[in-house]
Amino acid sequence: MTIQLPDGNGGLRAYEPRQEPLAPRSGAPFSSRTVFSAAHVVADPFADAGPDSPAAVDWDATLAFRRHLWAHGLGVAEAMDTAQRGMGLDWAGAAELIRRSAAEARAVGGRIACGVGTDQLAAGSLAEVRAAYEEQLAVVEESGAQAILMASRALCAAASGPEDYLEVYGHLLRQAAEPVILHWLGPMFDPALEGYWGSGDLDAATGTFLEVISAHPDKVDGIKVSLLDARREIDLRRRLPDGVRCYTGDDFNYPELIAGDEQGFSHALLGIFDPLGPLAAEAVRVLDTGDVAGFRELLDPTVELSRHLFQAPTRFYKTGVVFLAWLAGHQSHFTMVGGLQSARSLPHFARAYELADGLGLFPDPKLAEERMKNLLSLYGVNQ
């Protein structure tokens, strides 16, 4: 049995789908690493909502996906860029998502951390940026979730230099009831964040970032770094104060960063762990036994898929994540809030299907094949 897939050059090539999925095992909670999956939202396909309309979310399917992640032992990083914050999901939708997911986490005993940003502002003064952050921090803390202080487009636009970042973040950290995760998202994920921490020079920006942390180490649980630069992340985590964790957000180099070296390792807060959830969980449990080679053997083969999904323009990786969730049967349709399902090409989808199928990520390979054929037929590809 073969399926004809676009080859990217105007032609078709035959691919033989895998017949049997992997069968990841459940097990005890992780002991060696703290691992979050940033989770996508499922759109309501029956809503009469255009690209500029408020997000229409299928809450049942969205929460069911989070239960899937928790069932495998993963934490959920909620209302982050994977959930299309700033790319289809506005603050009103994000606030409802945070409240609903936090309540679900309490019900099932799942770990959750939620994004705190300023996306209710298009732009504003530093005082308005602080107030926007405070409003969102209050929502997350009232929900009982851990806070992730996300990078802010409005702060990036309003700040005149590093001192403004030090003032705003210092103010927020003093207010936070519990230790937070600081999130440094690079411009490859969001071009509006170019020059974050007050400088386009990454060494200078890193210095400011570390200054924020060192001034309030008791209020910083950890940092999430999404710069797609393994060497820079390793250097940064070696400079963190004792007790402050590094959560890798590097979707290109995560196996080596999580495995670590003789001087330390990274925990994980990754968008790629949305489609990789069960496989990633199994790999971490292998790592818990001290078997680094076994961990790498499971996780290294997934990097090609991750690099494919996160290829430039990297911010559109969410399209591939939701596409794979549809093929895997986690949702009944391939639509996204904001119409973002149109952001990748048919050859991109075909390659994502091939790589994910080769890894055994689809619980029902036949269903995935049928859905891939349905998509191909919409594009005029006859099997």
Side-chain angles (χ1 to χ4, degrees), residues 36-38 81-82 183 185 188-189 224-230 233 247-258 268-276 299-300 302-311 314 317-318 321:
F36 290 96
S37 166
D81 54 300
T82 304
H183 185 193
L185 191 69
M188 68 288 294
F189 288 93
K224 171 179 159 37
V225 187
S226 298
L227 298 176
L228 303 183
D229 183 336
E233 178 176 322
Y247 293 92
T248 187
D250 188 331
D251 299 278
F252 283 5
N253 303 293
Y254 51 93
E256 65 183 270
L257 291 165
I258 297 170
L269 199 165
L270 288 160
I272 192 57
F273 280 7
D274 179 306
L276 293 184
L299 214 54
D300 282 0
T302 69
V303 171
E304 185 177 6
L305 171 63
S306 189
R307 286 176 175 257
H308 177 72
L309 296 182
F310 284 78
Q311 67 183 228
T314 301
Y317 77 88
K318 299 100 171 168
V321 165

Side-chain angles (χ1 to χ4, degrees), residues 44 47-57 88-93 337-338:
D44 179 355
D48 185 12
D52 296 326
S53 304
V57 177
L89 186 70
D90 62 12
W91 166 236
V337 298

Side-chain angles (χ1 to χ4, degrees), residues 50-121:
D52 296 326
S53 304
V57 177
D58 180 337
W59 293 111
D60 289 342
T62 293
L63 295 175
F65 186 75
R66 280 135 184 82
R67 291 194 296 272
H68 155 73
L69 295 173
W70 285 319
H72 287 280
L74 298 160
V76 169
E78 188 57 277
M80 304 291 290
D81 54 300
T82 304
Q84 296 181 241
R85 286 290 290 272
M87 291 184 69
L89 186 70
D90 62 12
W91 166 236
E96 185 170 2
L97 178 64
I98 288 165
R99 294 186 180 103
R100 287 176 178 259
S101 291
E104 197 73 15
R106 288 195 300 273
V108 303
R111 183 165 186 166
I112 189 167
C114 299
V116 171
T118 64
D119 44 329
Q120 65 271 58
L121 290 178

Side-chain angles (χ1 to χ4, degrees), residues 352-366:
Y353 162 72
E354 181 179 9
L355 290 170
D357 181 70
L359 292 168
L361 294 185
F362 302 131
D364 184 344
K366 189 62 179 177

